[in-house]
Amino acid sequence: MTIDGTTGVYGIIGWPVGHSRSPAMHNAAFAAAGLNKVYVPLPARDAGAAVAAVRALGICGASVTIPHKEGVLAHLDEVEPVAARIGAVNTLVVDGRGRIVGHNTDWIGANRALAEAGVDLGSATVLLLGAGGSARAIGFGLLAAGARVVVANRSEDRGRRLAAELGCAFLPLAEVGRCEADVLLNATAVGMAPLDHLSPVPESVLERFPTVFDIVYAPRRTRLLAAAAARGCRCVEGLAMLLYQGVAQFELWTGRPAPVGVMREVVFSG
Ligand code: NDP
């Protein structure tokens, strides 16, 4: 594409951002849709200064990643209600009046990945492993879609706190073998390097869960997913969540359906 005086500038705010797949994904999407837009890394140590820069420089929209998903909140003009409940945003949308609105598409990405795999969230029970930032966003999103959620986490205090906030049951991680659910969803760091030799649950319990979703995407086929596939479970990869959170961002920024096929190719081959 040719960059000119009217090119819309988007980017990813975080520290660091060098590893992100988002620039490749969004630039491919903008090009495929024939839009005069570019998406660039916006490395920033300070969340408030980054939001001020979005305003000052006329940046049209941005992704927000670690460590600023909570820190940007205080600097926004408005926060979409589910994102406000989660207490974290990963997307900034600049509206026609220059107001910056925060959204959270992480949970949308997880929900769409499950829907694509054929899970009916309106009637599903999900055993959610983890109580960190991702588990929190996904938990609120699952409830918003009508799912029943049970939280399990290594640290009981943290797990019970999240379960109480979500208004759902808590199960100690050691007791997941007692649980039966339509979906086992791993939102812990177990499976990602340096924990890539581990599974968050004993492999013997996997038969209880028809669908296993691991949001860890590096490696793509985690130990958990390999074991789940071997037991005949339907497997959902973390890359699908990464893809669909980006698809939702594209749709928020442009008001158009995203070129999902192009974005999928970039994300899954990256
Ligand atoms: P947090 O640091 O906020 O939370 C980490 C979670 O992992 C906690 O529940 C923690 O339990 C648990 N955990 C860590 N180590 C162990 C262990 N050895 N045994 C059992 N549980 C453990 O991380 P995030 O929520 O931000 O991220 C979690 C994972 O999700 C990461 O691997 C990340 O890459 C992935 N991710 C994927 C995305 C996608 O689009 N696919 C998007 C965002 C994140 P405890 O409370 O006991 O410490």
Side-chain angles (χ1 to χ4, degrees):
M1 73 164 284
T2 309
I3 293 177
D4 60 24
T6 66
T7 301
V9 178
Y10 296 75
I12 179 161
I13 295 167
W15 189 273
V17 291
H19 64 286
S20 172
R21 296 184 193 207
S22 291
M25 173 173 66
H26 282 301
N27 283 315
F30 288 152
L35 295 169
N36 186 5
K37 298 179 187 295
V38 291
Y39 184 105
V40 295
L42 299 170
R45 285 190 188 272
D46 183 273
V51 176
V54 168
R55 277 185 214 286
L57 299 173
I59 288 170
C60 304
S63 309
V64 181
T65 189
I66 291 167
H68 299 319
K69 287 185 182 185
E70 291 94 13
V72 295
L73 279 172
H75 306 279
L76 305 179
D77 298 305
E78 188 183 332
V79 180
E80 181 275 335
V82 181
R85 288 201 72 198
I86 293 167
V89 305
N90 74 327
T91 309
L92 306 185
V93 176
V94 183
D95 72 14
R97 290 180 288 154
R99 297 170 70 256
I100 304 181
V101 184
H103 293 255
N104 189 310
T105 69
D106 284 331
W107 70 269
I108 298 173
N111 283 9
R112 287 205 198 173
L114 284 168
E116 183 183 56
V119 174
D120 174 10
L121 286 175
S123 63
T125 299
V126 179
L127 174 58
L128 176 60
L129 305 179
S134 305
R136 185 179 166 78
I138 290 170
F140 277 108
L142 290 170
L143 292 176
R148 194 175 149 256
V149 177
V150 177
V151 173
N153 192 52
R154 177 183 61 175
S155 312
E156 244 184 90
D157 279 4
R158 200 177 178 198
R160 284 191 191 282
R161 262 201 313 275
L162 177 61
E165 270 190 79
L166 294 174
C168 64
F170 173 80
L171 198 63
L173 199 50
E175 292 176 32
V176 293
R178 290 200 294 117
C179 184
E180 242 167 282
D182 302 294
V183 179
L184 173 74
L185 194 163
N186 178 40
T188 75
V190 179
M192 187 178 73
L195 304 175
D196 47 344
H197 59 295
L198 298 175
S199 167
V201 293
E203 294 171 6
S204 57
V205 307
L206 293 176
E207 272 143 22
R208 292 169 167 267
F209 307 100
T211 299
V212 175
F213 178 11
D214 197 341
I215 75 162
V216 171
Y217 59 82
R220 182 171 164 184
R221 175 116 309 201
T222 58
R223 175 108 189 216
L224 173 67
L225 285 184
R231 279 166 177 77
C233 308
R234 189 164 41 180
C235 292
V236 185
E237 296 181 10
L239 285 181
M241 173 173 163
L242 193 67
L243 166 67
Y244 282 111
Q245 61 80 31
V247 164
Q249 291 182 323
F250 181 98
E251 291 168 355
L252 283 167
W253 291 330
T254 68
R256 297 189 186 192
V260 179
V262 170
M263 296 172 80
R264 183 191 302 279
E265 214 174 291
V266 172
V267 169
F268 280 74
S269 66

